[in-house]
Amino acid sequence: MNRFYFIISLLLYQIFSFQDLYGKQTEKDDNIFYIEEAKDYANIIEYMDYYVDPSSQLGIQDISSPEYINKFEPVSDIHVVYEAFDQNIWLRLKIKNLENIHNHSWYFESWGFDINQFTYYFPNPDGSFTANTSGYDFPFYQRNIKHKNFNYLLDIRPGEQKTYYFKVKRSYPLAFNLHLRTNEKFIAHTLNEYYFLGIYYGVLTLILVFNLYLVYKLRDTLYLYFAGLILACIWFSFGRDGLGFQYLWPNHPEFNFLTQGNITQVAVVIATLLFSNRFVQKYNTSSLMFRATIIAIILKFVLFFIQDTLFHIEGRTYIGLTISIMLVPFSIGLRLLLKSKIYSWSYIFAYACLFLVIINSHTIAFALFDDQVINWYFVHPVIFLEVVLFSLSIFNQMKFLQEQYKTVSEEKTLALEEKNRLADELNNKLQQKVKERTEKIENMAKDLASKNVQLQTTNLKLQELNTQVNQINEYLRKNNEQLRTNMEEVTKNLALMKGLDFESFKNVFPDKDSCLQFLSELKWKDKYICRKCGYNKYAEAPNHGRRCKNCNYFESPTVETLFHKLKFPIEKAFYILYLSNRKDVDLTLNELSEILDLRRETCWAFKNKITQAMEKVGHNKDLSGWENLVLVHLE
C-alpha cells in the first residue's frame, strides 16, 4: 500500500511540475521582452506599448500609476503613430533577463538621433524613477553617454524583470529603430561606426582642401564650385548622422534645423548645378546651358519655398519635381559633351549618384531598403562615390585641356618656325645685296686711294696737270653721287620688301587662321587690356581671340583694326594692303580684281579705306612697312 501511495504521489508531482513548467512557458505570451543570450536585439519597438498624452502634462508618476497602466496599446508599426507631433508619446518596455551570466551590462539604444526630446526613466528599487532628458532641442552635454544616438544603461541583472518608460516628442513621423546590446557589442559597434565615418569625412576634407588649393593656384571657378559641392555634401551628411551637433555646435541645438533634409538637399542640388554648368562650359561654351542652369536653380528655390511655407508636397512628388528640374540642364550638358565628342562616363554616373541622394533624402516617403539602418546610412557611400566620380571627371578634363593646349602650342610653334624661315630667307637676300654693294664701295675706295698716291707723286706737276685734276675731281663727284643714290635704293628695298607676288605672299599668309594669328600677335604684342572692364587677365578663345577672365567679354583680333567688319577673305585684304604700300607695283582695279577673284567695287572700297588710314596716321611708304596700317581703326 505504501508503495502504491508513493507511485501516486510521484505521478501527481510530475503532473504539477509539468503544469508549472507549462505555465512559465506560457508567460512569454505576454508583451515582455526576454533576454536569453548575449547578442544584438533589433526591432525592440515591436515589444513595446505606447500611449499618446493629448495634454502633454502627464508625469512619470501618473503614467506608471494603475490608472494608466492599462491604457497603453501594443505597438503595431515602427512609426508608432503618424501624427501627434505636438503631443508627448509615452513608450513602455518590459524586460526580463533570462541569462545566467552576471558580467553582462545591457544598453538600450535609439538610432533616431534627431528626436526633438527623448526622456529616459530608470526604475529605482523604491518604485521611483530617475529621469534623463536629452534630444535635438537640448544641449549635447545633457546626455549620460556622449554619443550621437540615445544610449542608456539598463542595469538589469539575471533573473530580474524591470519596466522602463520613455517620453518622446518629435517633429516628423520618424521610424523608431531601437536596439538592445551588451557593453562589449555596444563599444565594438560604436568604434566601427565612428571609424568609418571618420574615414568618410577625412577623405571628403582632403578633396576639399585640394580643390581650395587649385582655386588659389589656377583661379578657376570650376574648383570653387566643386569645393562648394563638397561642403554641401558634408553639410547634407551632418543631417544624416548627427555628427555636426556632436562636434561642431554641441551647445547650440538651435542650429540643428539647418541640417533638415529639405535645406541640405537644396544646397546639394544648387552646388551640383553650378559645378555642372562650369564643367560643361569648359568643353563647349553655351549660353543655353547657362540659362537652363539659372532657371533650374530658381525653380528649385521656388519648390523649396512652396514646400515649407504655402502647402505640403508629398515626398514622392517632391522627389519627382526635383529630379525633373535637374534633368533639363543635365540633358543639355550631356548633348554639348557628345557634340564635342567627350564621353565622360564618370560625370554621368556621378549625376546618377546625385539622384540616389535626392531619393534617399526622403526615406520616409521612399525607402530603398527594408533595413532602416542601411536605408539611412546608404547615402554616405553614395555621396562618397559621387564626389570621387566628379573628381575623376575633373582629372579627365584637365588631361583633355592639357592635350588640347599641347596641340595648339605645337601648331603655333610650326607657324612661328615657318615665319622665322621666311624672315631668314629675306634677310639672307638683303645681306647678299649689301655685301655686293659693300665690295663695290671697297673697290672704289681702293681706286681712290691709288689715285691719291698718283696725285701726291705728281704734286710738282700740279700746274701743268690742273685740267686733268679738275676732270678727275668731276669724275669723283659723279661716283659719290651714284654711290649715295645706290645706298638710298638699298634702304628703300629693305623697307618695302620688294619682290613678292600674290602666290609668294600666300606662302607667308596662306589662310584666314595665319592672318588672324599674325593680327592677334601684332595687336596684343605689348599687353592685353579688356576694352569693357580694363582687366588684364585673359583666356585664349577661338580664332585667336581673347576672353576677359573678369567680365567674360570676348574680343576678336579684327576689332578696331583696318579689317573690322570685313566682308571678304582677310588673306586677300592682307595682299591688297601689302600692294598699296609698294611703289614699284601699280595694278589697276581690273587686274587686282582678276588676281584676287573679287568684285572691282570690293577692291576699290578697301583700297579707299587703306588710303583713309594712310592719311589718318600720315603713313610714309618709303620708311614704314605695310603692317603699320593694320591697327588703324576707322569709325
Side-chain angles (χ1 to χ4, degrees), residues 420-598:
N420 291 334
R421 187 188 66 79
L422 294 174
D424 291 340
E425 184 178 343
L426 292 174
N427 288 334
N428 290 334
K429 291 181 179 180
L430 291 174
Q431 289 175 1
Q432 184 63 29
K433 290 184 178 181
V434 171
K435 183 179 180 181
E436 293 174 357
R437 296 295 183 181
T438 302
E439 290 178 353
K440 187 174 181 180
I441 293 172
E442 289 177 351
N443 292 332
M444 293 177 66
K446 291 178 181 180
D447 187 48
L448 288 174
S450 176
K451 290 183 177 351
N452 284 330
V453 172
Q454 292 178 7
L455 287 175
Q456 290 177 0
T457 58
T458 59
N459 187 35
L460 297 176
K461 301 177 180 181
L462 183 60
Q463 292 179 355
E464 293 85 0
L465 300 177
N466 186 38
T467 302
Q468 296 179 6
V469 171
N470 288 334
Q471 292 177 353
I472 293 173
N473 287 337
E474 182 66 15
Y475 174 74
L476 291 174
R477 185 183 63 77
K478 291 181 179 180
N479 285 339
N480 287 332
E481 288 178 356
Q482 183 180 1
L483 178 62
R484 183 170 60 254
T485 301
N486 291 337
M487 289 299 295
E488 291 177 355
E489 186 177 355
V490 170
T491 304
K492 291 180 180 178
N493 287 341
L494 288 172
L496 295 177
M497 295 174 63
K498 292 183 177 181
L500 291 178
D501 56 10
F502 182 54
E503 293 302 323
S504 300
F505 189 82
K506 284 174 66 177
N507 292 331
V508 181
F509 299 102
D511 51 24
K512 176 183 177 181
D513 186 71
S514 61
C515 295
L516 291 177
Q517 180 181 0
F518 172 78
L519 188 57
S520 174
E521 293 172 355
L522 186 64
K523 182 177 181 179
W524 292 301
K525 64 180 179 179
D526 295 328
K527 187 178 182 181
Y528 166 81
I529 297 295
C530 179
R531 297 182 183 276
K532 187 174 181 181
C533 66
Y535 195 62
N536 62 354
K537 302 293 184 181
Y538 66 91
E540 295 290 342
N543 292 329
H544 300 282
R546 298 191 177 181
R547 186 176 298 279
C548 178
K549 284 192 174 181
N550 182 44
C551 66
N552 208 31
Y553 171 71
F554 170 77
E555 182 175 343
S556 171
T558 60
V559 171
E560 296 194 4
T561 68
L562 194 62
F563 307 100
H564 189 54
K565 297 182 180 179
L566 190 65
K567 303 298 183 182
F568 60 95
I570 190 173
E571 58 267 24
K572 296 182 179 182
F574 264 47
Y575 189 64
I576 295 175
L577 176 60
Y578 167 73
L579 290 179
S580 299
N581 197 54
R582 288 182 54 175
K583 294 179 62 178
D584 61 332
V585 177
D586 188 13
L587 298 176
T588 66
L589 291 175
N590 291 332
E591 292 173 337
L592 189 59
S593 173
E594 183 178 353
I595 292 173
L596 299 179
D597 193 19
L598 294 173

Side-chain angles (χ1 to χ4, degrees), residues 271-325:
T272 304
L273 288 173
L274 292 174
F275 165 76
S276 177
N277 173 68
R278 179 58 181 158
F279 176 81
V280 174
Q281 297 280 5
K282 292 198 73 174
Y283 283 116
N284 194 339
T285 303
S286 171
S287 58
L288 177 62
M289 175 70 177
F290 177 76
R291 290 195 298 271
T293 300
I294 297 301
I295 293 174
I297 292 175
I298 294 174
L299 290 177
K300 179 58 183 175
F301 266 123
V302 171
L303 183 64
F304 170 72
F305 177 77
I306 291 175
Q307 170 74 356
D308 283 358
T309 56
L310 300 183
F311 56 86
H312 178 72
I313 302 175
E314 194 271 331
R316 295 174 186 267
T317 305
Y318 191 87
I319 292 171
L321 291 174
T322 299
I323 294 178
S324 299
I325 290 172

Side-chain angles (χ1 to χ4, degrees), residues 108-146:
F108 174 87
E109 181 175 14
S110 169
W111 284 17
F113 67 90
D114 56 344
I115 299 174
N116 296 76
Q117 179 179 339
F118 195 95
T119 304
Y120 166 65
Y121 293 94
F122 177 78
N124 296 317
D126 59 359
S128 62
F129 290 87
T130 300
N132 176 256
T133 300
S134 59
Y136 232 39
D137 293 341
F138 298 86
F140 195 83
Y141 66 83
Q142 291 189 198
R143 305 187 182 194
N144 285 338
I145 299 176
K146 303 303 184 288

Side-chain angles (χ1 to χ4, degrees), residues 304-461:
F304 170 72
F305 177 77
I306 291 175
Q307 170 74 356
D308 283 358
T309 56
L310 300 183
F311 56 86
H312 178 72
I313 302 175
E314 194 271 331
R316 295 174 186 267
T317 305
Y318 191 87
I319 292 171
L321 291 174
T322 299
I323 294 178
S324 299
I325 290 172
M326 297 193 66
L327 278 176
V328 175
F330 171 70
S331 301
I332 295 174
L334 189 59
R335 182 174 62 85
L336 292 172
L337 291 177
L338 294 176
K339 185 178 179 181
S340 301
K341 296 183 179 180
I342 303 299
Y343 308 103
S344 181
W345 293 106
S346 58
Y347 173 78
I348 297 173
F349 287 128
Y351 247 95
C353 291
L354 174 65
F355 292 149
L356 282 177
V357 171
I358 294 173
I359 294 173
N360 193 254
S361 64
H362 290 270
T363 52
I364 299 174
F366 196 100
L368 296 176
F369 305 97
D370 294 333
D371 192 313
Q372 292 298 318
V373 178
I374 297 177
N375 197 53
W376 192 260
Y377 277 108
F378 176 71
V379 73
H380 288 76
V382 173
I383 288 178
F384 183 82
L385 183 60
E386 175 192 355
V387 172
V388 171
L389 289 173
F390 274 137
S391 299
L392 290 176
S393 301
I394 292 177
F395 288 142
N396 291 334
Q397 186 181 79
M398 292 173 66
K399 183 180 179 181
F400 170 80
L401 294 176
Q402 187 178 19
E403 292 177 353
Q404 192 177 51
Y405 175 78
K406 183 180 179 180
T407 301
V408 172
S409 298
E410 290 175 353
E411 293 176 354
K412 184 176 180 181
T413 301
L414 292 175
L416 289 175
E417 289 177 353
E418 180 65 17
K419 180 180 176 182
N420 291 334
R421 187 188 66 79
L422 294 174
D424 291 340
E425 184 178 343
L426 292 174
N427 288 334
N428 290 334
K429 291 181 179 180
L430 291 174
Q431 289 175 1
Q432 184 63 29
K433 290 184 178 181
V434 171
K435 183 179 180 181
E436 293 174 357
R437 296 295 183 181
T438 302
E439 290 178 353
K440 187 174 181 180
I441 293 172
E442 289 177 351
N443 292 332
M444 293 177 66
K446 291 178 181 180
D447 187 48
L448 288 174
S450 176
K451 290 183 177 351
N452 284 330
V453 172
Q454 292 178 7
L455 287 175
Q456 290 177 0
T457 58
T458 59
N459 187 35
L460 297 176
K461 301 177 180 181

